[in-house]
Amino acid sequence: MKQSLTHRELITQPESWRRAARAASEATGLPVPGERVAVTGCGTSWFMAQAYAALREAAGQGETDAFAASEFPRGRAYDRIVTITRSGTTTEVLRVLDAAGDTPTLAITADGKTPVVDAATEVAVLDWADEESVVQTRFATTALAFLRTGVAPRAVATAADEAEQALSSPLPTAVVEAEQWTFLGAGWAYGPAQEAALKMREAAGAWTEAYPAMEYRHGPVAIAGPGRVVWSFGPLPEGLAAEVTATGATLVAEGGDPMADLVRAQRLAVAVAESRGLNPDAPRHLTRSVVLSG
């Protein structure tokens, strides 16, 4: 079978992350410790914003909020606003930048010839991570690698090494053939867990959900059962593995770097799409960028 465009792009992520780490070490406009920062984007970019915000706060670098661009709180004071937009044309992101006033802004994008370049104070163009596919894989994680370097420089290299292993190891048959998938994550891993669920919905039209790991017991565990998957990004809370196993669901809990685990979930989305006769390069009802009129 001919490999999909989505697959060909997602397998390039380890080297793309390494390049992002090198670029971040020379970049201007990245948040500095002590600043109060807001990070925003839409869809996949919002989930990457959530991951970075949690990483930055956990590292003690300062209060960091993440918002979907459409829900960005107007009038709230920040020392810096960071936006993530692959296309550089997303309407909601451009509106956030337009309303930023004198607040310094950094836009991370894949295209240096789009409106976001003029709208932001500083721009990081990760053009080597741009994609032709509608479904985002490489750009989103590369943007996170770029930002993560400013929090934990060595972590990106480790994640890239683990991602190479994630690309070469086989996906369990029970995971590919399941009827439902739930992704869990705590702290910064919740962003990648949400992104994994989104990839499954976009590429494969699958029934997927995502929850903070500790919240899973509070209702969602009711849908676990044979033929269904519970996939943990990062370690599970104490006792939850036994509860999931008791339901008969397939548990995936490798405990590796969540960015590397997301690569496996991207592979799963492509595999499930193809098993259902769907083309992951042509997701239903989606376009590469959302540009609103008016």
Side-chain angles (χ1 to χ4, degrees):
M1 179 184 296
K2 181 180 178 181
Q3 288 185 337
S4 66
L5 176 62
T6 305
H7 177 82
R8 296 198 303 272
E9 289 175 342
L10 75 83
I11 64 176
T12 66
Q13 288 175 102
E15 185 52 39
S16 189
W17 300 352
R18 296 182 181 110
R19 186 169 177 179
R22 294 192 295 270
S25 66
E26 301 174 355
T28 59
L30 282 166
V32 298
E35 286 185 330
R36 186 168 188 252
V37 174
V39 197
T40 188
C42 296
T44 289
S45 296
W46 175 36
F47 298 145
M48 299 301 101
Q50 289 178 327
Y52 170 63
L55 278 166
R56 187 172 184 269
E57 282 209 359
Q61 291 195 0
E63 182 177 341
T64 315
D65 296 328
F67 302 99
S70 59
E71 297 295 321
F72 196 92
R74 301 294 191 266
R76 187 176 296 184
Y78 289 99
D79 298 314
R80 190 175 307 271
I81 297 172
V82 177
T83 65
I84 305 172
T85 167
R86 176 179 65 171
S87 69
T89 61
T90 305
T91 301
E92 298 98 312
V93 170
L94 293 173
R95 287 173 177 171
V96 169
L97 292 170
D98 183 62
D102 295 331
T103 303
T105 57
L106 169 65
I108 302 172
T109 186
D111 191 340
K113 298 179 180 179
T114 54
V116 77
V117 174
D118 294 325
T121 309
E122 301 276 357
V123 180
V125 180
L126 312 182
D127 50 7
W128 69 88
D130 201 0
E131 298 158 318
E132 295 180 52
S133 60
V134 172
V135 174
Q136 281 200 62
T137 55
R138 177 175 65 194
F139 173 75
T141 59
T142 300
L144 179 56
F146 180 82
L147 289 167
R148 191 178 179 187
T149 299
V151 175
R154 297 180 181 178
V156 173
T158 300
D161 291 344
E162 289 190 23
E164 288 179 337
Q165 297 174 14
L167 287 167
S168 61
S169 59
L171 295 168
T173 300
V175 173
V176 176
E177 296 180 351
E179 65 174 359
Q180 190 276 337
W181 299 260
T182 297
F183 298 92
L184 307 178
W188 79 273
Y190 179 44
Q194 292 190 88
E195 173 58 10
L198 180 62
K199 287 288 90 70
M200 294 289 289
R201 289 191 290 269
E202 289 178 332
W207 172 20
T208 62
E209 301 178 354
Y211 300 96
M214 286 295 289
E215 285 296 306
Y216 185 60
R217 293 182 172 99
H218 296 273
V221 68
I223 66 167
R228 297 176 180 178
V229 171
V230 179
W231 185 319
S232 175
F233 281 63
L236 281 169
E238 184 177 354
L240 186 54
E243 291 182 37
V244 170
T245 301
T247 70
T250 298
L251 176 64
V252 179
E254 299 293 330
D257 189 283
M259 282 176 58
D261 218 15
L262 179 55
V263 172
R264 286 205 304 153
Q266 292 168 346
R267 288 180 57 210
L268 174 65
V270 170
V272 172
E274 292 174 345
S275 73
R276 295 180 173 186
L278 301 174
N279 181 359
D281 296 338
R284 295 180 300 175
H285 318 309
L286 296 180
T287 58
R288 191 172 182 276
S289 173
V290 177
V291 179
L292 306 177
S293 60

